[in-house]
Amino acid sequence: MDTDVTDTENEADPALSDIADDEVAEGVSDGESAEAESNPWSFICPAPRKTSGATILPSSLIAASCTFVPGDKDGKVFVFGGFHNFTDDVYNDLYMLSLGTNAWRRLDHIKGHWPAPRHSHSATLWKNDKLIIFGGRDANDQCLDDMWILDLSRMAWEKPALSSGDKSYLPGRRVKHSACISEDQRYLYLTGGQADDDGPVLSSLHSLDLHTMTWLPPCRFTARHSHFSCTYENKLFVYGGMGANLIRTSAIECINLQSQTVTCTEVTSSAAPPMLGQQFVQQFGYMLIVIVTSCFKPASTSDTDSGMWTLDLRTNDWTHLTPSYRPSPLAWHFHASPPSTHDSILLLGCDTDDETNTTESWLIPLSSLGLVLMPPSSFVPDYRALLNETALSDFVVESKHGGEIKVHSVVLWARSEFFRAVLRGHMRESYESRISFSEPIETLRILVHYLYTDTLPCPIDSPELSARYLACLLPLATSLLLPHLCALVSRSLHRLLAYHPVTSCIPIYMASKKVNDNGLERRALSVMFEDFGKVIRTEEWRSLPELEKDGIWASVPADARLVF
């Protein structure tokens, strides 16, 4: 499926076009000027920094985990395991980079028993102070199924005692899989991977309750390995990696963690990231950020193939952030994966002068790229609070059957042409600051709630009462010229017919006739005839005027018959 995108490939960046050439020459040194000409984003993003330390992370390390742990003043990066690119030696070394000093340390003195050397495992940050290691491949080329937790507050290794209701719940040996934590930090999710190089790509999704350390029943998801996964709004998303056919894929797959329904989006948009090059992926709230860089040599990826892209998980829209931007003329080996709320990207690599050690770190604030998470709107909560604040109210909505609601005339004015006519006209309601309706007060409360929040409240007291009061609201909303409210009420009445047909069909039928909603009327009649024996025993049927009953009898199909 081709997704809607914002393609800015041929647009000049307005933030950079205002910088004159002479300003560039005056503001930087000769070396920096050359860098600025090749990468104008150096004015916006901080430049890469040199790392130091007695034991710098080797750049020849492959398939190690690299995790970013944010801190109050700075942050730390933990790199665990991996194998040597030339000797194939497998390690269980633990390196730490302190971003405050940009200094590397190899941590040799950790409490507890160490995990076996491994690579191609998963490392997941849990509650910002624990690192969960699972699976991978050991020095004997065997796949692993063990779990280890590094407690960062005590700097101690732990091997948790895991349980399951059945052996089939266990994820088994797994390599090149992906792991992520639920948004409430309660569950660990493992997806995909392989049990060995010659075996099939795994398609199961396994869940671990981190409170009880119990494996839950797995479900089928998608066959992927070497991919990225994350959770957002109770859904789990998978991007990139290799599919079941061992071919690199750009498809985005999503599973609803409650219903376990799976959706797949095939990406064909030109604004999506290229399939070539090295991809680093991280989550930032409702966005996926994809960074495409050179793999090992600066010249191995063309300028047109490098850059940054974002995917909006809510809409599946790709955006090419900076088409003219090249990450840096350096080789980047590691991407430190941060928590989903962290607002920066961290790449680790080396330059051509020292290709044996990870001598460069690049911390890129996402705000410098215009990536800022929009906080939830406070409009609805603010107006809901205003509804409950009667001190400033200056108008009353009342029912002729009893009961009144204090409201604010300015809200009524803003929300409905009907109320604007009432308030600006020379009518009794405008002088008395009071308006009366024939509907019950419960219906008027739903109306006022909508005027302040643009939503309907939860069902009132019981399904029977909800149907009665919502049905009364449908013709009222029509007379008040509120089409959006009419649509909300109609949709809610359809749902009530589906879940509470016997008690709701009579009032819904009556309301639909008044507003000529033929679809709702036909559905109410259909429900009524299907359970007619139960319907005629309800209070709603008994209270119907005889004329309305005659109308229902006239709607009975000519070929209908009683079935006992």
Side-chain angles (χ1 to χ4, degrees), residues 66 123 130 144 238 249 280 283 306 438 461 476 478 484 502 548 559-560:
C66 185
K130 292 179 177 64
L144 303 169
V238 161
T249 177
F280 297 125
Q283 181 185 9
S306 64
S438 59
D461 297 331
L476 178 59
T478 303
H484 180 252
V502 173
E548 297 298 339
D559 58 348

Side-chain angles (χ1 to χ4, degrees), residues 182-195:
S182 62
E183 293 173 282
D184 61 2
Q185 301 289 300
R186 174 70 185 267
Y187 300 100
L188 174 74
Y189 298 111
L190 298 180
T191 59
Q194 290 178 285

